[in-house]
Amino acid sequence: LAEATLAGGCCPGASRNRFAYNEAGQVRIRAGLPIYECNSRCRCGAECPNRVVQRGIRYDLCIFRTGDGRGWGVRTLQRIRKNSFVMEYVGEIITSEEAERRGQVYDRQGATYLFDLDYVEDVYTVDAAHYGNISHFVNHSCDPNLQVYNVFIENLDQRLPRIALFATRPIRAGEERTFDYNMHVDPVDAESTRMDSNFGLVGGSLGGSPRARGRIECKCGAASCRKFLF
């Protein structure tokens, strides 16, 4: 695999990007850089170290009712190592125009299920309101323990990355999973300058939206809390 990468034959090498994982499947590149995993056209098997997100959730997670007004949340039933893949944000892929329309409805409901896919341009959005997985219930935090990465597997259209959540630190069994709905990723080198630094989970469009949105109070309780989600 290392020789293939150096020769440009493996997926990361062929796309001129860094190999994203170590031998334990932990992400080793900085947030903002894309991840290119092997796909159905590759000769490697299911145990290839460059197949992580596509294997799905590997930890025992559960949904629980929070006691501080944040609704439902997700916590882990087992310890999660730092930089490990935890879950993918899954939903219905819609256009940004449709997301704007639905966002106005969700705003009135106080819901936030729209995730802009703006790795290179803001064309599509993932809506997890009606279709998705356990990521639908993950709460926001200004001091999160999950980080978003853009992943490409069977698809190389940079407008349609898959959204993977990796642990930013070791996570204890019983601890709630969270990520920052309004996170900012600064370009770390020339490879990531195409990254829109304003990506996150939103009830409408975020950044460049023609519609002014009301401020949503944050209830994460972190010492670094910004007081508002948006």
Side-chain angles (χ1 to χ4, degrees):
L1 181 65
E3 293 177 357
T5 302
L6 290 173
C10 193
C11 294
S15 58
R16 298 183 179 181
N17 286 280
R18 299 174 184 173
F19 194 80
Y21 308 116
N22 62 17
E23 294 181 355
Q26 295 163 292
V27 68
R28 64 180 186 179
I29 62 174
R30 298 176 66 179
L33 294 177
I35 295 175
Y36 286 86
E37 292 196 1
C38 292
N39 56 60
S40 59
R41 295 190 177 188
C42 299
R43 290 175 293 185
C44 57
E47 298 307 311
C48 171
N50 196 39
R51 298 179 184 268
V52 175
V53 173
Q54 61 193 267
R55 294 177 191 158
I57 297 173
R58 314 291 277 190
Y59 293 99
D60 292 329
L61 308 172
C62 76
I63 300 167
F64 74 103
R65 189 72 175 178
T66 65
D68 54 8
R70 293 180 298 118
W72 296 96
V74 177
R75 60 187 170 200
T76 178
L77 300 179
Q78 60 188 119
R79 184 178 180 276
I80 298 177
R81 296 177 302 171
K82 179 180 179 180
N83 297 328
S84 296
F85 170 66
V86 179
M87 70 181 77
E88 182 178 356
Y89 193 83
V90 176
E92 180 184 2
I93 298 177
I94 59 177
T95 64
S96 295
E97 290 78 10
E98 174 63 12
E100 183 70 18
R101 186 191 68 79
R102 295 188 188 186
Q104 295 180 27
V105 177
Y106 297 159
D107 281 351
R108 292 193 292 270
Q109 300 171 346
T112 51
Y113 298 118
L114 298 175
F115 200 128
D116 288 339
L117 300 180
D118 50 9
Y119 174 64
V120 290
E121 56 181 315
D122 189 2
V123 178
Y124 299 107
T125 296
V126 174
D127 183 1
H130 306 290
Y131 304 93
N133 62 4
I134 196 171
S135 64
H136 170 103
F137 299 98
V138 176
N139 278 315
H140 160 85
S141 176
C142 296
D143 184 22
N145 49 32
L146 299 179
Q147 172 68 52
V148 172
Y149 280 82
N150 291 274
V151 183
F152 299 90
I153 305 175
E154 297 291 344
N155 164 55
L156 294 179
D157 186 341
Q158 293 187 329
R159 301 172 302 170
L160 290 166
R162 292 169 63 165
I163 304 302
L165 300 169
F166 288 80
T168 60
R169 56 174 175 77
I171 303 173
R172 306 183 308 273
E175 188 177 350
E176 184 179 0
R177 311 277 56 69
T178 59
F179 70 98
D180 190 342
Y181 288 7
N182 193 17
M183 65 179 62
H184 294 264
V185 177
D186 295 324
V188 293
D189 57 27
E191 291 180 88
S192 65
T193 56
R194 294 170 300 177
M195 180 68 154
D196 187 329
S197 64
N198 197 10
F199 77 113
L201 181 68
V202 302
S205 297
L206 191 141
S209 171
R211 178 172 55 87
R213 43 180 307 111
R215 305 204 74 183
I216 300 177
E217 181 184 0
C218 180
K219 300 178 181 179
C220 74
S224 58
C225 181
R226 299 188 297 267
K227 307 305 179 184
F228 294 95
L229 267 66
F230 308 111

